[in-house]
Amino acid sequence: MGSSSGQRWAPGCRHVPNSATRGPAGSDLAAAAKEEEARAHDPTTIDEDGGMRIDAVDPRDLDLDTADELAELRRSCLVGVDVAAYTGPALLLDIVEGSGEPEDQVVLLAREDDRLVGWARATEPRREYTDSLFLQGCVAPDHQGRGVGRALLDALTAGTTRTRLRTRAWEGTPGRPALTAWGFTASHTSAVRRLDLDAPDPGWSSMRREADAAADGYELVRRVGPTPEADLQEMVVLREAINDAPDALEFESYPTDRIAAYEQALTRRRQTQYTVVARHRGTGEPAGLSMVCVDEFDPSTAHQEDTSVVRAHRGHRLGLLLKLDMIAWLRHERPEVTGVETWNDSTNHHMIAVNERLGMREVARSTVFKRER
């Protein structure tokens, strides 16, 4: 499959902290952001109409009512972007539980009187990307262009010494021109594709026969939930195979404790993990992996995590075989799952070709933006 065999996680999965591993409530990032918003925005307003306030919130203090507000505001900002939306409970657990990574995080809430009109979150990874601050947020459509987004950005960046800012914007949304105006530069673009599991069979049966013949020397193993301890070492090989994907930023190591922490976090977030592993029959070597998660708060759409094939085992249609087996499994075991969403870097031509052959269609595009400080 060459260097384009990997398919990276959907953005946001990695860059949120676990409450047990992130910095304390008084961490430098949170404390500095609170100090900055207090200094800059209390009692000063950031909107000429008055009544605007930005508050820094420890993620562990978020409740379901606030998470419902965040999710609803996010949905209002993504009208016309055809991707699965967060529910309030899923977003709350995403923020509070995260992905098991040692990271520091702060959330800012912008309110006009009692109404939430904007929010943002910033994360400082402590394992990799230690020069970077990852940003996410949105502003209510009727408050865009009034300085809310810029005020949130300023408050977040005032609380960090990180020199590189990273964020994303959806194609067709005001976020793209706003980021450009704030000095960000577009980097790489990913396309979101969706597979309709209820659609007429586009030839999966014949594809499966083809892939089975090409991968005759391999066996597939299915697993629901976290990886058993005895199998974690092979997951190291399979997860690190993703590092030659086109959108790899820097090498990401996956020791067994990191994999276990991530998968345990998925369980706490009520994300059911479905994994298919390919092993070489002759040697028992791990050769390939496909993994999806089903959000039990809204199980209609499954979300592709990794699909990867180890370089030494490429050329046997394993990527196609793994995905076909996952499709058959979900259709049989989870009939309420009617679609699968996956992300591909726009230069990942091999995996794009596999996905489109399976019947996936592009539904949205998201671009990474960066700014040096």
Side-chain angles (χ1 to χ4, degrees):
M1 291 188 179
S3 63
S4 61
S5 69
Q7 178 172 298
R8 303 191 69 79
W9 301 352
C13 292
R14 288 170 297 174
H15 307 307
V16 288
N18 183 303
S19 58
T21 57
R22 68 163 180 260
S27 65
D28 291 344
L29 178 61
K34 283 187 176 182
E35 180 179 345
E36 171 63 16
E37 64 90 8
R39 181 186 65 78
H41 304 303
D42 186 14
T44 305
T45 62
I46 61 170
D47 184 275
E48 61 183 9
D49 295 332
M52 189 77 67
R53 179 184 176 87
I54 294 179
D55 294 308
V57 179
D58 188 306
R60 288 166 289 190
D61 293 333
L62 288 175
D63 57 25
L64 183 55
D65 287 341
T66 304
D68 284 337
E69 287 186 281
L70 301 182
E72 178 58 34
L73 183 56
R74 185 177 185 272
R75 285 192 292 270
S76 74
C77 294
L78 294 181
V79 172
V81 179
D82 187 15
V83 293
Y86 269 115
T87 62
L91 182 57
L92 177 63
L93 289 178
D94 182 30
I95 294 173
V96 174
E97 295 292 348
S99 57
E101 287 296 291
E103 299 172 329
D104 298 315
Q105 179 181 219
V106 67
V107 175
L108 298 185
L109 307 179
R111 293 189 181 276
E112 185 176 73
D113 298 323
D114 292 330
R115 179 193 169 198
L116 183 71
V117 296
W119 67 275
R121 62 198 285 198
T123 305
E124 290 183 343
R126 287 190 271 123
R127 187 193 301 269
E128 292 143 349
Y129 308 103
T130 54
D131 63 343
S132 298
L133 183 72
F134 288 86
L135 304 168
Q136 179 186 7
C138 59
V139 175
D142 62 346
H143 277 66
Q144 292 170 5
R146 295 167 62 178
V148 181
R150 182 56 186 259
L152 288 166
L153 174 64
D154 289 347
L156 288 175
T157 55
T160 184
T161 58
R162 299 291 176 101
T163 59
R164 180 169 294 169
L165 309 180
R166 301 179 190 265
T167 189
R168 278 186 172 270
W170 293 99
E171 189 172 280
T173 66
R176 293 176 64 93
L179 288 170
T180 300
W182 297 339
F184 285 79
T185 301
S187 179
H188 57 277
T189 296
S190 296
V192 183
R193 288 177 172 81
R194 179 176 299 130
L195 179 65
D196 183 356
L197 295 179
D198 288 339
D201 185 343
W204 292 327
S205 298
S206 61
M207 291 181 215
R208 181 61 187 255
R209 290 192 295 271
E210 170 195 329
D212 280 337
D216 182 57
Y218 296 84
E219 63 178 355
L220 300 184
V221 178
R222 293 176 175 178
R223 182 166 58 241
V224 180
T227 304
E229 185 175 357
D231 295 327
L232 280 172
Q233 193 57 51
E234 75 172 7
M235 290 294 286
V236 174
V237 176
L238 297 172
R239 295 298 293 274
E240 291 187 353
I242 205 73
N243 279 294
D244 61 2
D247 60 339
L249 301 176
E250 62 181 63
F251 185 86
E252 296 183 3
S253 63
Y254 287 94
T256 56
D257 60 339
R258 182 180 191 180
I259 295 170
Y262 171 68
E263 294 183 353
Q264 290 160 10
L266 288 176
T267 299
R268 291 192 299 271
R269 287 166 48 195
R270 301 186 191 177
Q271 305 284 319
T272 302
Q273 173 185 340
Y274 291 84
T275 305
V276 181
V277 171
R279 293 178 182 149
H280 188 261
R281 295 184 192 275
T283 64
E285 291 180 354
L289 164 75
S290 188
M291 173 181 164
V292 305
C293 288
V294 176
D295 178 0
E296 300 301 346
F297 292 110
D298 181 11
S300 61
T301 301
H303 301 274
Q304 183 79 55
E305 297 286 308
D306 277 358
T307 296
S308 61
V309 176
V310 177
R311 183 177 294 277
H313 295 278
R314 294 172 187 169
H316 299 281
R317 299 285 198 277
L318 286 176
L320 179 63
L321 178 62
L322 287 161
K323 282 180 168 283
L324 285 166
D325 197 68
M326 184 67 74
I327 290 169
W329 189 12
L330 290 175
R331 280 165 58 90
H332 182 264
E333 296 290 335
R334 298 296 302 263
E336 73 275 30
V337 177
T338 59
V340 179
E341 283 188 358
T342 187
W343 291 61
N344 297 114
D345 185 270
S346 60
T347 63
N348 195 343
H349 303 299
H350 183 91
M351 191 56 70
I352 290 171
V354 170
N355 286 336
E356 291 185 343
R357 186 179 179 192
L358 290 169
M360 292 187 175
R361 59 183 178 86
E362 184 177 317
V363 295
R365 283 181 170 259
S366 175
T367 298
V368 170
F369 283 80
K370 301 177 184 178
R371 194 180 87 183
E372 304 291 334
R373 302 204 305 157

